[in-house]
């Protein structure tokens, strides 16, 4: 299946805003988890229906609703109604092939980007789409399946003294984005460490397996880049936003995030270049190795050519061939042959051909 | 025939605005279809003459006039007169080699771009020029031949409840552009799925057919890119327009379209890069394969060289060659030959040459 | 002679504004042609001296003075005085190695760019410099030699009803620029049609002649690009000018010209890329072809190696070699040889080496 | 260990602003050195605790506190409290994998960048992170370990008459940055001198050692580039700052610094290109050298082929072979062989194959 | 010695503004030449001390002080004091590795750039640094050694009627810059003419000498580019300056200069690309040539292989080999050998292998 462009439904021209899930279904039943907190209290529940949520937007506490599983249209449209999300946003959420982007509305902010994880066995990067809607003191996040990189955030939420409990939903959004970017760095770093090792292997031991690995890493780097570059644009846009939903005290954190985004993109670019260099070095190493073999064999063969010729000459059946009747003819010839071989060897040595 | 630059009429310097059709005639008689609708009613007719149209601009309903076939100058100038189109626009419409572009006028908007379709048999992309003029509550579209990707739109028009019936001609234009871009995505995706498969074939089974296929896809990707990049510019321009003909409620849809345009261009670029990688990998695979053959054959030949030399030596006719008279001379020599071959084989094995 | 940078006079440091002709003299005597027209009348004369021109700037009619041949300093300075052109402009006009550019003055506009023509025999592009000064209702054009692409314009001037007769000198300038760009498109298209054909030839029949042709086209495309890219900048500048000498009614035409300029530059870039691809494909095709030959020959030689060895063995002169005395020894050996050859052939076939 | 992306702590999602040292610990105990000066006096002490510092911000003199060693969280947070640094800045200081950047605050300026040094033995560039906080008349600098390029600055501080003593902490910051950039230039220059030498070696004596050296230099240049490009951005930002902490009299010095930054980046880019050229030349030289060997050997072998064939013919045992019984048959044949060899040699010479 | 980055003094961290000469000393004693002129008079003297200069800034005439030789710190600081130049400017003047740049001051303008000259014997470009300070009606120029491209300017100064005598020191500066850029064009053109010739040589006669020449030209083009690109930026900055020291009447001349700068940079880029193409073509030509040789030799060898095998067969010593006793066995075999050779030759001819 194409990884770089997700399959859309084949029927072009459907009404924009139709909630048809695009992607692989990765979980059975959607799971909803509501964390409601302010500096005083923290409630953390898995909820079954959205009915209990109605109070959420009214209260003064900050609410974080996380939904794992996007393939149930009913649920999605319910969420849409509850939080007054436009149909276009809902469509972007359920289409897991969506390009990372940020959209601003007068009283809401919509972000969608990819979370990357490394399947260590296959050495492949998996991407899961994370969408987040920030509206008032509510943050709603959408993931394709349970399991994410946000456990440390939940841990920190439990600590009453932390900044996270003090500041609002915009800081929570920042914290989640920070996690996502930290994770980008981690994934790139794990690949990068291996990539930097290639340097020596490529010159010392260029096996076809190594070549395949290099190509794999190049593909994965291209895949990461596809997720990371638009994510950087998002942060840039976020840093420039004048939307009041982002309070001024968040600004320095966003700037920090932007540095991290630059760093990820820089690193990806450097590693891509490095992999291209490795590919070239690999080619060169393989060619040189083959050339050495061919040169050796050719030199070896060349030494025997005049010797075989001499043997051929004295294998001729002419009636009159005086050398054949010399007493030591045979031994003299063997001596000549040895001398020719030695001279040739010396010459090749001198020319550094062997 | 050149696909990447359409043949103009040879006579340079003709008056700008002359309505001479440039391109291949793809249909016999132009076909006109007028869909007239508002929230209450829908009329959908194939019409023969433009006379019935005069009422169109006056009524409050939204009208969509679609014209298939651009090669009849009379018809085109009639349309031009009726809707008050400048001669330059008409010229752009009939020149099917026109670069995709958007032009704004105080009370009208002119868009021309390419619809792509995949000729599955030839594996070639075909491009058909779509031009659209949006003026008041009328949308006039021009296509080179009958058949398009807009059937779902017509279907949705028939449903009274849809947003399409509620909103005006600008939303209709958006819907058509949306179809065109969805179709870009679909075409790129179909090619992309095949391209991603190349990865393994190229290393496992690099046949000349595969090479040809890779080159075909590269050409087609270049062709798509030529259509898609200026189309993205159009959407960008449309998103920034301050023309009142585009009502503010359309803005979020245009933004959505812009994301899609970015995604298409991104995907095309990624696949182009991938194809270049495939080409390199193909070359490498072919070279490696050949090198393996040559190495094997050379090693094989090399083993026989000293053996043949020995045979040559004992084929000489010297009178005095003691070994020839040894009782087991022949068998000893055969043994020596076998030993030499075995030693060489072992040496080559150790050096990993075979 | 260097085509890509024209020879300047060797004496660096001459006074700026000296009227020394730079380039190859392409005509004997300069030829002056004055077309004077308004909606009512049209006068078209070859004139000998500039004296008759003095009335030109005063009258209400539009005047087009065309000068073929730039190498007579006296004439040039006369023209300069008559139309009040600065010495820098005159210098640019006579220096045929001038980079295409547009210069604006309060009451005048100066444009210089290249007209391209295809020498079909040599397959080479020739460039001729066209300079134009637009001042009031006068347009003065300068060409290196008689013969240009403007005959259709003159033809249209003769038709009283045309737009050309109605609008002023700025529209005339636009018309000429339009001709020049149409001609760019035509030249690129002629080359492009041939370039697109290379696709198949390169894989099917990669002869050295084809290689030379590809290289020729690459050089010519670079040459065209050198003329076309700054020409596009000119049009862009023209589209943005606020100079009153360009009347507002010309604006849409200039915009159209800009599209054409973009199209030419796009096409040149695409064809350059295509030629690079062809070059790579050519190399690959040649290499593959050679490799096939070498592989065939090597396989052929390899089959004879063990056979010759066997013949060598039984050509030895050992006293005791039992096989030599077998009744059917010779025929058995021939059989063995045939078997060895057949087995090897089968093995090579199986491995797809032949 | 990955050099191009420093290892972060594995636990994603930690609270931003946690002071966990990221990097290799390069010193045992942090060392604090306080230089306090104005035009009249200079105090230079290694201090043990930060308590003596409290007076620093109040006095009129300029203070420079340098801290070597970043791995003691307590010390860092003490410094943070004392100078009122935000936790984000402290985090950037202790994370030695930080991307070079400049951050402005109403009353402070934060800069972090890399100091490069050349490990002459390994031929590797080492990077040490330098962070500096400029706040009022205090400059606090943070380094990973003792030893830096600032000794000449300290020397100049001792001279009472110098500009350094006259101007404030912003000039001191400039002086330090100047040292860092001078040092960039020096490092690039040392590598560059060697790189320019490659030109001849690569064509004259392309050994594998040279190849490894070229690759080493490419890697190091990439490493330098990673430090230097964002450093240039810092200077650009500094030149544009409107922060009052940078007094106007520093502006021309910053501009000078910017020129130097441009020069470093230019030089790095030129040397990178040069190294790529060397790599290509190396490949070409190696290939040509091998090809010459192979051609020589092939020509050598080819000359013996017809001679061996002739010997083979006259080694046949046909009953009737008249030449065998010619008196001088053997000698005639030897003559023919010599002639054939001579003719072939002459032909190959003429074709310039040997 | 490194050409692309000049050696700085090793002591990093010296006070900015120290007047230590950086570069190769190219002359013995500095030479000062003062040209003082207005429309009426012209004085041109070599002067020994700077004392006579004091009157210069006061008088109404325009003064041009040229200093050849930058290595005497005393002289430089004297000049600095006399004309009130900041120490940073003086430092830039004596550092001949300075990047070309323009600096503006309220009442002065500082320009430094490279003059290029072609050492025709070595085929190498030499760069000499030219610095100029324009202050009031004085222009002071600094060169590394006597001898420059300004003799025509001095010549024109002698002519009373010229524009140069009429306009002020800013026009003089323009004239000198014009000379420098004319000279760039000339140098590029001389190299360019040779480069365009490579086209045919590379395909027709690819000798190692040609390769070395191509590489030499690439290096020189990189060297020119390093001088020319920042010089273009200078002119651009100069065209945009609002400094009153540049009088408005100079503006069109600066614009002209800018065109020339663009042209130089364009030409350098085109020639660089061309040289890269030549390098590729060279490689291809060499490879093709070698391949032809190898193919010929392999085909030649292949023809003898079956013939030698046949000779080997009939050299065997089996007791019973009927053919050996045929009357015409030998001649029949010779005939068969000839036939085999002819058939093979015909086959190879048909396949176009020879």
């Amino acid at each position: 299946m194409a990884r770089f462009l997700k399959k859309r439904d084949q029927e072009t021209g459907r009404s924009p805003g139709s909630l048809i899930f695009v992607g692989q279904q990765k979980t059975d039943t959607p799971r909803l988890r509501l964390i409601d907190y302010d500096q005083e209290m923290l409630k953390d529940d898995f909820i079954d229906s959205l009915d209990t949520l109605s109070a959420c937007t009214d209260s003064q506490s900050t609410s974080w609703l996380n939904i794992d599983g996007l393939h149930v249209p009913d649920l999605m449209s319910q969420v849409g109604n509850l939080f007054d999300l436009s149909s276009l946003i809902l469509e972007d959420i359920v289409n897991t092939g969506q390009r990372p982007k940020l959209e601003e509305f007068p009283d809401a902010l919509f972000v969608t980007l990819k979370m990357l994880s490394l399947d260590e066995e296959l050495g492949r990067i998996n991407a899961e789409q994370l969408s987040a809607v920030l509206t008032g003191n509510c943050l709603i996040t959408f993931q394709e399946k349970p399991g994410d990189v946000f456990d440390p955030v939940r841990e920190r939420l439990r600590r009453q003294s932390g900044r996270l409990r003090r500041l609002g939903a915009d800081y929570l959004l920042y914290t989640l984005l920070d996690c996502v970017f930290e994770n980008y760095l981690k994934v790139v770093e794990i690949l990068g460490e291996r990539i930097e090792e290639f340097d020596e292997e490529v010159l010392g031991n260029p096996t076809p397996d190594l070549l395949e690995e290099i190509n794999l890493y190049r593909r994965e780097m291209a895949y990461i880049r596809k997720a990371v570059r638009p994510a950087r644009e998002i942060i840039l846009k976020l840093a420039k936003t004048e939307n009041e939903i982002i309070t001024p005290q968040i600004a320095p954190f966003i700037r920090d995030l932007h540095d991290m985004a630059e760093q990820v993109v820089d690193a990806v670019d450097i590693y891509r270049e490095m992999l291209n260099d490795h590919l070239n070095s690999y080619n060169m190493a393989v060619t040189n190795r083959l050339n050495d073999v061919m040169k050796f064999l050719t030199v070896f063969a060349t030494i025997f050519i005049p010797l075989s010729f001499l043997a051929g000459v004295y294998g001729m059946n002419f009636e009159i061939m005086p050398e054949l009747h010399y007493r030591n003819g045979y031994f003299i010839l063997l001596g000549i042959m040895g001398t020719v071989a030695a001279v040739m060897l010396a010459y090749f040595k001198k020319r550094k051909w062997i």
Side-chain angles (χ1 to χ4, degrees), chain A:
Chain A
M1 215 202 64
R3 270 171 87 204
F4 283 81
L5 195 63
K6 284 261 175 68
K7 199 131 206 140
R8 301 240 158 182
D9 52 338
Q10 291 302 328
E11 193 196 339
T12 300
R14 75 196 190 292
S15 164
S18 6
L19 293 185
I20 296 153
F21 177 70
V22 175
Q24 277 183 296
Q25 185 179 326
K26 292 176 179 166
T27 187
D28 285 338
T29 332
R31 217 181 56 175
L32 287 76
R33 181 175 187 177
L34 176 69
I35 303 183
D36 200 44
Y37 67 90
D38 58 19
Q39 230 171 328
E40 305 307 315
M41 63 87 190
L42 174 81
K43 279 189 292 187
D44 183 350
D45 296 305
F46 288 94
I47 59 176
D48 290 332
S49 89
L50 287 165
D51 304 338
T52 55
L53 272 171
S54 45
C56 161
T57 38
D58 309 329
S59 77
Q60 289 299 320
S61 61
T62 305
S63 305
W64 173 19
L65 173 64
N66 183 56
I67 300 172
D68 294 327
L70 310 170
H71 52 284
V72 180
D74 280 359
L75 178 69
M76 297 313 291
S77 51
Q78 249 183 300
V79 173
N81 290 334
L82 195 60
F83 292 96
D84 201 27
L85 307 180
S86 91
S87 61
L88 283 173
I89 286 191
L90 284 175
E91 193 194 10
D92 289 344
I93 291 172
V94 298
N95 172 4
T96 64
Q98 185 55 45
R99 196 175 181 259
K101 72 169 174 175
L102 170 81
E103 259 187 84
E104 297 183 40
F105 301 90
D107 55 350
L109 206 73
F110 170 61
V111 178
T112 179
L113 74 181
K114 307 290 173 209
M115 292 183 292
L116 301 179
S117 62
L118 185 65
D119 182 332
E120 305 249 7
E121 247 171 277
L122 290 172
R124 266 179 66 154
I125 305 294
N126 292 325
E128 187 189 351
Q129 180 156 313
L130 170 74
S131 305
V133 177
L134 175 66
T135 165
N137 52 358
C138 274
L139 180 73
I140 313 118
T141 52
F142 301 85
Q143 304 185 43
E144 295 178 47
K145 64 172 202 288
D148 54 31
V149 293
F150 300 142
D151 281 329
V153 178
R154 292 192 192 95
E155 187 54 47
R156 279 166 54 203
L157 272 175
R158 261 171 240 132
R159 281 183 247 132
Q160 196 176 343
S161 61
R163 200 191 280 135
L164 199 48
R165 288 281 286 278
R166 221 163 55 236
L167 299 174
D170 53 348
Y171 188 76
L172 179 62
L173 173 62
Y174 152 73
T175 311
L176 298 185
L177 292 178
D178 192 65
C179 282
V180 170
F181 275 89
E182 284 264 357
N183 198 47
Y184 288 168
L185 265 186
K186 213 173 83 184
V187 167
V188 173
E189 191 211 318
I190 293 172
L191 298 188
E193 218 165 331
R194 180 80 188 101
I195 291 170
E196 293 191 33
E197 283 170 19
F198 288 163
D199 252 352
E200 287 183 16
E201 279 178 52
V202 133
L203 293 174
N205 186 21
T207 61
D209 283 359
L210 183 63
L211 175 62
E212 215 162 302
E213 209 181 353
I214 291 174
N215 275 320
L216 173 74
Y217 275 79
R218 292 180 73 209
R219 222 148 46 227
E220 294 312 308
M221 275 293 163
Y223 192 66
I224 293 175
R225 188 158 159 253
K226 188 168 160 282
V228 159
R229 289 181 87 100
R232 179 179 59 169
E233 286 167 34
I234 289 175
I235 302 302
L236 198 64
K237 235 168 150 184
L238 206 58
K240 286 183 187 159
T241 188
E242 294 178 351
N243 203 317
E244 288 182 11
I245 211 165
I246 299 292
T247 52
Q249 60 203 1
I250 306 301
F253 298 102
I254 302 287
R255 245 186 352 249
D256 218 62
L257 210 52
H258 185 244
D259 288 334
M260 218 193 283
E262 289 285 346
Q263 204 176 6
V264 178
V265 173
D266 276 14
V268 170
D269 284 347
I270 286 177
Y271 285 128
R272 274 169 54 93
E273 248 178 70
M274 229 181 250
L275 284 166
N276 279 333
D277 288 357
H278 289 157
L279 211 59
N280 285 332
S281 299
Y282 178 88
N283 268 334
M284 238 161 77
V286 165
T287 306
N288 283 343
R289 201 157 277 224
L290 176 82
N291 287 342
D292 283 352
V293 175
M294 298 304 265
K295 199 162 66 177
F296 177 89
L297 296 178
T298 310
V299 164
F300 183 85
T302 304
I303 288 171
F304 279 98
I305 283 171
L307 310 187
S308 288
F309 168 67
L310 286 176
V313 165
Y314 293 104
M316 293 194 295
N317 300 321
F318 282 101
E319 241 166 46
I320 301 174
M321 284 181 71
E323 299 95 323
L324 296 180
H325 308 292
Y326 290 173
R327 232 201 123 132
N328 296 319
Y330 173 52
F331 304 103
I332 291 170
L333 182 66
L334 286 188
I336 290 174
M337 281 177 170
T339 310
V340 165
V343 166
M344 285 178 79
L345 266 172
Y347 179 74
F348 293 157
K349 264 259 159 66
K350 200 188 130 211
R351 301 280 303 254
K352 297 215 175 126
W353 293 356
I354 44 174

